[in-house]
Amino acid sequence: MEEEDLLLGIGAFARRSRLSQKALRLYDGQGVLRPDRVDPATGYRYYRESRLADARRIRLLRGLDMPLAAVAEVLAAPGPQAAALVAEYWEQVERRTAAQRELAAYLRIQLTGGEGILDMFDIQQREVPEQLVLTEQRHIRPEELPEWIPAACDRLFAVAQAHGGVFGAPFVVYHGEVNDDSDGPVELCVPVDPARAGGFGAPSRTEPAHREAYTTVTKAQVVYPQILSAYDAVFQWAKEHDETVSAGPREVYFVKWDEVAPGDPACDIAVPIG
């Protein structure tokens, strides 16, 4: 017989693929790697020798902790599409790992009572000029923020583009705490051309000029609750430097969120002072 027609018993197939017989039975049950023949009398499984390539690929994919459903998708896809699926999965892993790394750092800070928090963040100061901003405000829970912020940005950006464009980085002001027990309110602000005041057809206000203390955080550090450690650091810096907090803390988004990696700078955590 041709090589691709040769059948191997499950024991031989397991040894050559470096997969256990238990794993092969699981993959059969999950539809990931079906045997080519099952003896109707004994239930013994047989696999074509040509299936070893798939079996070995499964072993490698499982080495990435890829779920079986995702493994099945990779095996069923043509080469370039399969490669894209692996790349997409690993990008998700890296995002999750980056978020978990920051969460671990946040927990260490919490468990040590905030000791060393200022060593983790570079706190700076800057002067912010007066700005005319379009606004959208709502009461919100922490888990709703990742969806609401970009959606509200899109709505206000559309208004701004119809009236001279966006004149600065959008920012989110927390007029109240947002946590498991409190829902803000929160205000999204998009700077616009002050010469066009009054003609937007959307709520707007003047954000006064002020001095602020701030620190820059990465995309991974923005995830709740680890973002709270950056806020704690800025507030502690203000306290140690006898600065009075004069308005609600805010997040300033100076990049396009979808275009940066988890470890890239993505946002400033800022507090108006003085």
Side-chain angles (χ1 to χ4, degrees), residues 21 28 37 52 65-66 88 107 109 116 165 211 237:
Q21 294 186 40
D28 178 14
R37 178 175 176 270
L52 284 169
D65 291 328
M66 182 178 284
E88 180 182 353
L107 287 170
I109 290 170
R211 180 167 56 93
W237 181 93

mmCIF file of all heavy atoms in Angstrom, residues 21 28 37 52 65-66 88 107 109 116 165 211 237:
data_model
loop_
_atom_site.group_PDB
_atom_site.id
_atom_site.type_symbol
_atom_site.label_atom_id
_atom_site.label_comp_id
_atom_site.label_asym_id
_atom_site.label_seq_id
_atom_site.Cartn_x
_atom_site.Cartn_y
_atom_site.Cartn_z
ATOM 1 N N GLN A 21 -2.391 8.310 24.494
ATOM 2 C CA GLN A 21 -3.628 7.702 24.020
ATOM 3 C C GLN A 21 -4.841 8.398 24.640
ATOM 4 O O GLN A 21 -5.886 8.543 23.983
ATOM 5 C CB GLN A 21 -3.638 6.210 24.347
ATOM 6 C CG GLN A 21 -2.572 5.412 23.594
ATOM 7 C CD GLN A 21 -2.703 3.920 23.819
ATOM 8 O OE1 GLN A 21 -3.803 3.373 23.858
ATOM 9 N NE2 GLN A 21 -1.551 3.238 23.960
ATOM 10 N N ASP A 28 -10.516 12.883 19.686
ATOM 11 C CA ASP A 28 -11.564 12.211 18.921
ATOM 12 C C ASP A 28 -12.935 12.683 19.410
ATOM 13 O O ASP A 28 -13.800 13.072 18.614
ATOM 14 C CB ASP A 28 -11.419 10.700 19.072
ATOM 15 C CG ASP A 28 -12.508 9.921 18.332
ATOM 16 O OD1 ASP A 28 -13.231 10.517 17.492
ATOM 17 O OD2 ASP A 28 -12.635 8.709 18.587
ATOM 18 N N ARG A 37 -10.223 4.849 11.191
ATOM 19 C CA ARG A 37 -11.001 3.615 11.265
ATOM 20 C C ARG A 37 -11.153 3.221 12.731
ATOM 21 O O ARG A 37 -10.233 3.394 13.530
ATOM 22 C CB ARG A 37 -10.303 2.482 10.500
ATOM 23 C CG ARG A 37 -11.030 1.136 10.577
ATOM 24 C CD ARG A 37 -10.335 0.097 9.691
ATOM 25 N NE ARG A 37 -10.963 -1.218 9.834
ATOM 26 C CZ ARG A 37 -10.600 -2.139 10.715
ATOM 27 N NH1 ARG A 37 -9.572 -1.919 11.519
ATOM 28 N NH2 ARG A 37 -11.232 -3.298 10.781
ATOM 29 N N LEU A 52 -0.050 11.977 10.958
ATOM 30 C CA LEU A 52 0.937 12.347 11.973
ATOM 31 C C LEU A 52 1.255 13.839 11.947
ATOM 32 O O LEU A 52 1.507 14.456 12.993
ATOM 33 C CB LEU A 52 2.225 11.540 11.781
ATOM 34 C CG LEU A 52 2.176 10.076 12.244
ATOM 35 C CD1 LEU A 52 3.415 9.337 11.761
ATOM 36 C CD2 LEU A 52 2.045 10.003 13.768
ATOM 37 N N ASP A 65 -1.112 26.528 24.958
ATOM 38 C CA ASP A 65 -2.338 26.561 25.765
ATOM 39 C C ASP A 65 -3.537 26.994 24.935
ATOM 40 O O ASP A 65 -4.483 27.598 25.454
ATOM 41 C CB ASP A 65 -2.188 27.483 26.986
ATOM 42 C CG ASP A 65 -1.220 26.927 28.015
ATOM 43 O OD1 ASP A 65 -1.133 25.694 28.128
ATOM 44 O OD2 ASP A 65 -0.547 27.731 28.696
ATOM 45 N N MET A 66 -3.512 26.689 23.645
ATOM 46 C CA MET A 66 -4.628 27.034 22.777
ATOM 47 C C MET A 66 -5.803 26.096 23.047
ATOM 48 O O MET A 66 -5.634 24.884 23.086
ATOM 49 C CB MET A 66 -4.212 26.939 21.303
ATOM 50 C CG MET A 66 -5.311 27.337 20.322
ATOM 51 S SD MET A 66 -4.771 27.262 18.586
ATOM 52 C CE MET A 66 -3.770 28.755 18.486
ATOM 53 N N GLU A 88 -3.299 35.786 15.691
ATOM 54 C CA GLU A 88 -4.384 36.454 16.426
ATOM 55 C C GLU A 88 -4.512 35.898 17.837
ATOM 56 O O GLU A 88 -4.677 36.659 18.805
ATOM 57 C CB GLU A 88 -5.698 36.262 15.668
ATOM 58 C CG GLU A 88 -6.899 36.914 16.336
ATOM 59 C CD GLU A 88 -8.193 36.664 15.591
ATOM 60 O OE1 GLU A 88 -8.144 36.091 14.460
ATOM 61 O OE2 GLU A 88 -9.262 37.020 16.107
ATOM 62 N N LEU A 107 -1.672 44.544 42.894
ATOM 63 C CA LEU A 107 -1.921 43.786 44.125
ATOM 64 C C LEU A 107 -0.760 43.914 45.108
ATOM 65 O O LEU A 107 -0.962 44.015 46.319
ATOM 66 C CB LEU A 107 -2.175 42.316 43.784
ATOM 67 C CG LEU A 107 -3.533 42.016 43.132
ATOM 68 C CD1 LEU A 107 -3.568 40.582 42.622
ATOM 69 C CD2 LEU A 107 -4.661 42.259 44.125
ATOM 70 N N ILE A 109 1.181 46.449 45.429
ATOM 71 C CA ILE A 109 1.071 47.779 46.034
ATOM 72 C C ILE A 109 0.001 47.779 47.119
ATOM 73 O O ILE A 109 0.192 48.311 48.214
ATOM 74 C CB ILE A 109 0.733 48.824 44.946
ATOM 75 C CG1 ILE A 109 1.943 49.026 44.017
ATOM 76 C CG2 ILE A 109 0.350 50.149 45.576
ATOM 77 C CD1 ILE A 109 1.626 49.852 42.797
ATOM 78 N N GLY A 116 6.260 52.212 48.104
ATOM 79 C CA GLY A 116 7.017 52.183 46.860
ATOM 80 C C GLY A 116 6.238 52.569 45.623
ATOM 81 O O GLY A 116 6.760 52.465 44.508
ATOM 82 N N GLY A 165 -12.950 70.269 13.133
ATOM 83 C CA GLY A 165 -12.039 69.215 13.555
ATOM 84 C C GLY A 165 -11.789 69.189 15.057
ATOM 85 O O GLY A 165 -12.327 69.991 15.825
ATOM 86 N N ARG A 211 -2.934 73.963 36.022
ATOM 87 C CA ARG A 211 -1.712 73.175 36.131
ATOM 88 C C ARG A 211 -2.115 71.786 36.605
ATOM 89 O O ARG A 211 -3.054 71.629 37.392
ATOM 90 C CB ARG A 211 -0.746 73.825 37.114
ATOM 91 C CG ARG A 211 0.575 73.103 37.321
ATOM 92 C CD ARG A 211 1.565 74.017 38.066
ATOM 93 N NE ARG A 211 1.020 74.485 39.318
ATOM 94 C CZ ARG A 211 1.215 73.886 40.498
ATOM 95 N NH1 ARG A 211 1.967 72.782 40.567
ATOM 96 N NH2 ARG A 211 0.697 74.377 41.586
ATOM 97 N N TRP A 237 1.617 61.870 45.264
ATOM 98 C CA TRP A 237 2.612 62.894 44.912
ATOM 99 C C TRP A 237 2.093 64.277 45.285
ATOM 100 O O TRP A 237 2.828 65.098 45.861
ATOM 101 C CB TRP A 237 2.914 62.814 43.418
ATOM 102 C CG TRP A 237 3.932 63.814 42.963
ATOM 103 C CD1 TRP A 237 5.274 63.632 42.851
ATOM 104 C CD2 TRP A 237 3.671 65.179 42.566
ATOM 105 N NE1 TRP A 237 5.880 64.792 42.411
ATOM 106 C CE2 TRP A 237 4.907 65.760 42.239
ATOM 107 C CE3 TRP A 237 2.527 65.951 42.462
ATOM 108 C CZ2 TRP A 237 5.027 67.065 41.804
ATOM 109 C CZ3 TRP A 237 2.638 67.268 42.045
ATOM 110 C CH2 TRP A 237 3.880 67.818 41.719
#
